Amino acid sequence: MIIPQEVRSVSLWQVALVLGVVYVAHKLLKSYRVRARSTPLAMPPRPSWFFGVSRLIINNPDASSMYEDWVQQFGSVFKIPAPLGGTRVILTDPKAIAHFYSVETWTYVQTKLSRVAIENLFGRGLLWAEGESHKRQRKAISPAFSNVAIRRLTSIFYDSVYKLKTNWDNQLASVDSALIDVETWMNHVSLDSIGIAGFSHDFGSLEGKRAAVAEVFDAMGRLKPSPITAIVILFGNALPILWRLPTETRKLQTKLNRAMEEIAVPLLENTRKEMRGLGEKGKEEKSIIGLLIKAEDTESSLQMSQEEIMAQMKVLILAGYETTSISLTWALIELSRKPEMQVRLREELKEQFPGSDPTWEQLTNGAGLHYLDAVVHEILRIHAPLAVTTRVAAKDDVIPLSQPLRLPNGELTDHIAVAEGQEVTVPIGYVNTARSVWGEDAREFRPERWLTPEGLPKKAQEVQGHRHLLTFVDGHRMCLGRGFALAEFKAVLGVLIKNYSFELPDGPETKIEYCRGVLPRPRVAGEKGACVPMRVRRVD
């Protein structure tokens, strides 16, 4: 083929320049369309066209305070500047949030970066799916998280925490106290529990075995932020291909994916053999994934592909390991900051169950463990593992408001219009701790607020979700595993507080900071990685 001279003379930078102009023009046209079909909302000044306010939020350990300031200035719904000249609508109005979650997976879907990241890390499972695919997968998985199924798993939580107890008792056999990194042990308990309960695999981390999955999670907690990772986070929605850059985080995520597949494939093969009569007989299948696979044939319309089942297994590991261990660690931190609350919880546990442990029914329905329930929900309120939900509108929408909102032009409105392509965020961490919702003591750890009906402000009771919290989100994507998580949280924390006392290394004033893992984790300031050493003593 003969290439004209004028074409051959075009340089690479000229091509790049043309493509850049086309891209900017496309972004401007899209931005104009969104603005033209959206309600004009108030917005803080844009500090940077490239970064918006993202750097301010990422670098601020108390992002909730920023949201609090913006709500006071602009009202319960407003916009913030996003990277590359974009904007993001922020919802803090309870009715608006309820509407958002009620139409999620249909009207509001994952952002481009989230879709690419989730598919690469987990595959096309429930976390990735939208619309009818999400509805089908969720319906197929739901029976594995029923009360009947979780009741059978409660003994696994106790088995794990008593393995921990055996180890700690050995360490304390000849000494009054020991300095123990409790976060590492909460990781071990959570990993072994989800391994057995989730898919009949014993990681053995409580017995000293090194699991590849745990090593990757630990390495993520020790990673230092890199400029490339920051670029991926900031600009990934506009350029999802950035996710494929070989960052250290990406390399670890690939390693995590490989490690999870090494566990998932043999389980699937063994379960399939058992279903065909070729595998091990005589044992009751209790694991979540095992029950899911066995239930496939009962309704062919709900049958999931092997790729989808593998994806659910990977999500189970992440959700069961990361979120539970983080919550347990925060519980021990807060109870060490308030020793009198630790004593009160221990007295309740010893009074109600002096020589035994509560059953699943007793953990779930109270049975006198009201303070345990209050502590658990207060931790979930002020330390939600996932701080935000961000989606993009798949079509134009009208969002209702619980109270009129004053727009920049002075008009009042009881709804806002959102255009297709607009990013929308629900700041979970802020709403869970907003003073305008929970009162002036919203940022304080105060379990007592859960002990009486009047303890929760009326505004908080307007928030939909589990116990008026957004920690498990709401609507079509409300966490299926919340019953599992709550049962494990209560069972493990109950055994620990009943048998041990905990003190932070420098007392209640010990500084705690966040470090990055798959999810943000706490650590004692000055420690390398996600480490929370505590002075642990046995109690009679």
Side-chain angles (χ1 to χ4, degrees):
M1 184 177 68
I2 299 175
I3 301 175
Q5 179 65 35
E6 58 270 22
V7 174
R8 281 182 286 169
S9 64
V10 175
S11 64
L12 184 60
W13 75 265
Q14 288 174 312
V15 173
L17 179 62
V18 171
L19 291 175
V21 170
V22 171
Y23 174 78
V24 171
H26 169 72
K27 290 290 291 183
L28 289 174
L29 184 63
K30 184 178 178 181
S31 176
Y32 173 78
R33 180 192 174 281
V34 169
R35 287 199 305 270
R37 302 177 67 173
S38 301
T39 300
L41 298 170
M43 184 172 72
R46 181 183 295 276
S48 165
W49 185 87
F50 276 102
F51 300 108
V53 296
S54 297
R55 286 196 303 181
L56 299 178
I57 295 174
I58 292 173
N59 295 327
N60 190 341
D62 187 17
S64 291
S65 293
M66 294 186 67
Y67 286 113
E68 189 94 57
D69 291 342
W70 288 332
V71 168
Q72 290 177 0
Q73 292 180 60
F74 309 123
S76 61
V77 178
F78 55 94
K79 285 184 178 180
I80 60 172
L84 300 179
T87 61
R88 187 171 296 153
V89 172
I90 306 297
L91 304 179
T92 68
D93 180 277
K95 191 173 183 178
I97 292 171
H99 171 84
F100 169 85
Y101 282 124
S102 72
V103 295
E104 194 186 1
T105 82
W106 301 93
T107 302
Y108 297 99
V109 298
Q110 302 274 8
T111 63
K112 292 179 181 178
L113 176 62
S114 294
R115 292 275 285 180
V116 172
I118 291 169
E119 182 177 3
N120 277 273
L121 187 55
F122 299 112
R124 298 189 173 192
L126 187 67
L127 204 59
W128 176 88
E130 305 283 5
E132 288 294 341
S133 176
H134 180 273
K135 182 179 179 181
R136 173 182 57 82
Q137 291 192 44
R138 187 177 177 93
K139 189 173 181 181
I141 295 170
S142 292
F145 288 97
S146 67
N147 289 341
V148 173
I150 295 172
R151 183 185 293 112
R152 290 199 297 262
L153 300 175
T154 305
S155 61
I156 294 172
F157 307 146
Y158 285 121
D159 288 344
S160 293
V161 72
Y162 275 104
K163 286 180 183 178
L164 176 151
K165 184 177 182 299
T166 298
N167 188 291
W168 284 12
D169 284 348
N170 289 336
Q171 292 187 53
L172 294 166
S174 57
V175 294
D176 174 66
S177 67
L179 195 63
I180 297 174
D181 177 12
V182 297
E183 186 153 24
T184 295
W185 284 97
M186 297 309 101
N187 295 346
H188 293 337
V189 168
S190 300
L191 185 62
D192 284 6
S193 293
I194 194 58
I196 297 171
F199 31 88
S200 301
H201 177 86
D202 187 359
F203 286 101
S205 62
L206 285 163
E207 297 165 352
K209 296 179 183 177
R210 290 299 298 170
V213 170
E215 289 177 349
V216 174
F217 280 125
D218 291 345
M220 286 182 172
R222 293 191 297 271
L223 270 184
K224 294 182 179 179
S226 72
I228 296 179
T229 300
I231 289 171
V232 173
I233 294 172
L234 290 170
F235 306 119
N237 282 330
L239 299 168
I241 196 171
L242 291 174
W243 171 259
R244 302 185 188 279
L245 290 175
T247 63
E248 287 302 315
T249 301
R250 174 74 175 130
K251 291 176 183 177
L252 284 174
Q253 288 167 338
T254 301
K255 185 177 179 181
L256 175 64
N257 203 343
R258 194 178 304 119
M260 291 190 289
E261 286 185 358
E262 288 175 359
I263 298 164
V265 172
L267 171 65
L268 284 172
E269 291 176 352
N270 184 63
T271 307
R272 301 283 189 201
K273 286 179 181 178
E274 187 178 340
M275 290 171 65
R276 294 195 302 267
L278 304 174
E280 184 179 348
K281 297 283 188 178
K283 68 172 185 178
E284 179 189 8
E285 181 56 68
K286 293 183 179 181
S287 76
I288 293 169
I289 293 296
L291 290 172
L292 175 61
I293 297 170
K294 287 188 173 184
E296 277 186 321
D297 293 336
T298 61
E299 191 173 345
S300 58
S301 65
L302 300 180
Q303 191 167 22
M304 293 195 298
S305 66
Q306 177 160 324
E307 179 190 14
E308 289 170 342
I309 293 174
M310 290 274 287
Q312 317 312 346
M313 295 179 70
K314 295 172 188 177
V315 172
L316 264 180
I317 294 177
L318 173 66
Y321 174 83
E322 278 283 285
T323 58
T324 304
S325 63
I326 290 171
S327 295
L328 282 165
T329 302
W330 273 118
L332 296 178
I333 290 171
E334 294 294 353
L335 290 170
S336 296
R337 286 170 164 171
K338 301 285 183 68
E340 69 281 4
M341 294 181 181
Q342 187 179 153
V343 170
R344 179 175 177 178
L345 177 56
R346 185 175 299 113
E347 289 174 348
E348 176 184 87
L349 290 162
K350 286 181 172 291
E351 178 183 343
Q352 297 296 324
F353 295 92
S356 63
D357 294 309
T359 63
W360 175 84
E361 287 83 2
Q362 291 166 330
L363 287 171
T364 303
N365 301 322
L369 297 176
H370 304 298
Y371 201 64
L372 174 63
D373 181 79
V375 167
V376 164
H377 283 91
E378 186 71 345
I379 291 296
L380 294 174
R381 185 184 71 83
I382 63 175
H383 296 297
L386 191 64
V388 297
T389 297
T390 297
R391 299 290 185 262
V392 62
K395 57 184 178 182
D396 292 354
D397 188 35
V398 175
I399 300 178
L401 305 176
S402 62
Q403 292 182 339
L405 175 70
R406 189 169 296 280
L407 302 176
N409 60 11
E411 294 180 3
L412 287 174
T413 182
D414 61 359
H415 65 276
I416 65 163
V418 172
E420 177 185 351
Q422 174 68 61
E423 287 188 10
V424 180
T425 289
V426 175
I428 294 170
Y430 163 70
V431 177
N432 277 358
T433 58
R435 293 187 177 93
S436 59
V437 176
W438 294 89
E440 288 304 311
D441 62 354
R443 304 288 176 83
E444 297 177 20
F445 176 69
R446 193 174 70 82
E448 288 74 15
R449 76 177 79 242
W450 297 94
L451 297 178
T452 59
E454 59 273 14
L456 298 186
K458 185 177 179 180
K459 193 70 175 178
Q461 295 179 41
E462 294 178 12
V463 178
Q464 293 189 22
H466 172 78
R467 300 285 289 273
H468 308 296
L469 298 175
L470 296 180
T471 307
F472 296 112
V473 301
D474 195 18
H476 301 296
R477 286 196 184 274
M478 189 173 194
C479 178
L480 270 175
R482 63 189 179 280
F484 179 101
L486 288 166
E488 181 180 9
F489 194 172
K490 290 181 179 181
V492 173
L493 184 63
V495 170
L496 293 177
I497 297 300
K498 187 176 175 181
N499 289 278
Y500 304 99
S501 67
F502 298 86
E503 298 174 19
L504 287 163
D506 296 321
E509 302 305 317
T510 300
K511 184 180 179 182
I512 303 295
E513 60 188 17
Y514 284 97
C515 67
R516 284 284 167 185
V518 176
L519 296 172
R521 282 181 165 274
R523 71 174 170 198
V524 169
E527 294 288 334
K528 293 182 179 180
C531 297
V532 181
M534 287 189 177
R535 181 65 57 183
V536 180
R537 293 180 173 84
R538 285 186 297 185
V539 295
D540 296 328

